[in-house]
Amino acid sequence: PAFARISCPKIMTSPLTTRPTQRDVQSEFQDVSDPALTDRLLKLCHSYNLSASQLSTQWELLQMNGHVGKMTLETLAALEHKVGQVSQSAPQSKRKTAAVEPRTSSEARPAVQPRTTGMNTYTKDSAHLLQLSGMLGGLSTPKRARPGPASFASPLSQTTTNGSPSNSFVNRVDAGKVLLSFQADLGFASAIAPVKVHVGAHAAAEPRRAPAMATVSGSSFMWEKLDARAELLDEHVQKLEREIEAMHQAETMTKHEPTPQGHEGKKEAENKSPHDSADIQTEAGSALRMPLLASAVHGGNEEVTFVGRICCEGEGKLNPQSIFLEGSRARCNACRYRLDLSGCPDYALFPGQAVAVCGMNTLGHTIVAKRIVPGVLPPQQTRPLVNASFNVITATGPFTCSDDLSYAPLDELLKVAVQRHASAIVLVGPFVDEVHPTVSSVDLSVSFLQLFSQTVLNKLQVFVEERLNESSCAPHIVLIPSIRDVHHSPVFPQPPFVVEQLPAHIKPYVHLAPNPTSIFIGGVSIACCSLDVLMLLTQQELASKPMPDAPRPDRMSRLASHVIKQRLFLPLYPAPTDERALLPVDVTSNLQDSSLHLRPHVLVMPSELAPFAKVVEGDVVCVNSGRLTRKQAGGNFAVICVHPPISQSVAADEASAPSLAPVHAMDDAAIATPSEEATLASRICVEVRRI
């Protein structure tokens, strides 16, 4: 490669020095009041040599993926069965030293310090347990092969181990199976539609320079200034302050305007102070009253609104006793105040989150919260209307199985794109996965970049040429990198791939996007990020427990709403620091170039969590289809169809278009009004299928 990655020294983990106690279990399972259940949980920790925190992580995963409710004898049996399966999946020779040596995906590879990034990012306590269940492809850092002279040997013949026939990709039996559907009754497009594709820029437009070419400038590779980072963090808080102040001003102007109310209504409006509170619109359209903004520097007994960034007192996960609110420089001199959540019935917080807290600061150093507003929705998109139904296929890598480099799943996906009349195909990395056994074993006869060119790019070029020869039109293909791509920059956010080998007639159909990015397909904004942000938020989020009679909250919708309301694809700060799952993040670029300035219509959030497709807050359709492959077996992909309004007919110039001519500039004609765009989610249908 043209640059070298930073490798970390090998860090060995030590076994549990102390056995968990009853108090440890009670602190992790606070909602369990039955002593019998607590005793069984403690015995479970002792039987499988787990800490209380590790057992709590397994319980949370069982709740999310198994749709389990409260802790009962039945659910405890399911938890014990899951932990037993995790333990049995480890090799017998490794079980006794499971807490001492980090596990690897291949016995032939040495156990070295891993840098598992992207979607496979877990907490320090849960990484080795999740790997046992097959969710981690491997916990070893792939060795970099030194690029040698150009070789014409095909990398497709490189294999590691032969997969068992029951799990191998070629012998799969559930191809095309529908795993879930969202508004499938709307139907899907029956023909490829001419659409215009434009790739927005959320990351750096130009690739970052390698360390050898670094200079003292803000655009150098991994060059970050502390003062610039501090200013951007403060700006993130001040944006929320300005949003709330604007709402207060709008409320004040509205109250001063004459209203068609009667005499009693006018008298009531005059008696009410215009500076009492402001209304924040929620997703249901109802107004949420908020007191006036104030600084936490001066205490008082009146309920006001404080705006700041959630911080943790020390290292580790948030807990109700370690939460601080850091105000802005202008309003609070960047001071931190302890946050008391004992009087707040509903909250969902994580480090780095910009929130508005309604409460009191009577003591001058502790804010007693009554209500927490986790951000404000960004403005809606104003883009061209949809003129015809079109299909979009999205898939997340790896695009080849772990036992070969044939990229057969990618070939099958391209066949499905023809069968489903896809107008666009969005491919999210990794394409050359650093945890692939062959890639990490330095047995390749070609460089990583040559592997990417000879497999992925060549297949896409042949596919586009075949479609142009058969029907004079071809789907647009969008490539989004991943920090697990061994041939690309490993620091988030990432610039787009640099591809120069494509012919001139193919380049207009292959779009290279940064990570993260916003793609406009037929006027519809699709935001996407290859990081497993949902899993990262799941590990770091501290949420209140629902009331006994209240319905169970939709956690996936809440996690996706965090990304939208914080207006950042990666809203966590600081980035999770786990020596076994490092996440390299350029914080300055993340705050500056990874913002969601406008609300997308579709949010693609690839994750290791269970697949889903649903409408989240802000009328945004969020989709998680999972990965295209899982080791030697096939995975999932998603088909998204967008329909035009029923009353709108296809424009004559679009219907008579001779070919799918690609463009790189948006046509600003026929701008959609907010009322029309508000119903776009009701015209989108999604299917998640097996490849």
Side-chain angles (χ1 to χ4, degrees), residues 27 126 139 176 192 255 304 455-456 635:
S27 62
S126 63
L139 284 178
I192 185 172
K255 290 178 180 179
V304 293
T455 54
V456 178

Side-chain angles (χ1 to χ4, degrees), residues 149-194:
S151 173
F152 295 96
S154 174
L156 304 183
S157 60
Q158 301 287 345
T159 58
T160 53
T161 58
N162 295 325
S164 67
S166 59
N167 292 330
S168 63
F169 180 78
V170 293
N171 295 327
R172 67 194 187 282
V173 295
D174 56 351
K177 178 182 177 182
V178 178
L179 299 181
L180 63 91
S181 59
F182 170 74
Q183 298 183 157
D185 54 328
L186 296 177
F188 293 83
S190 58
I192 185 172

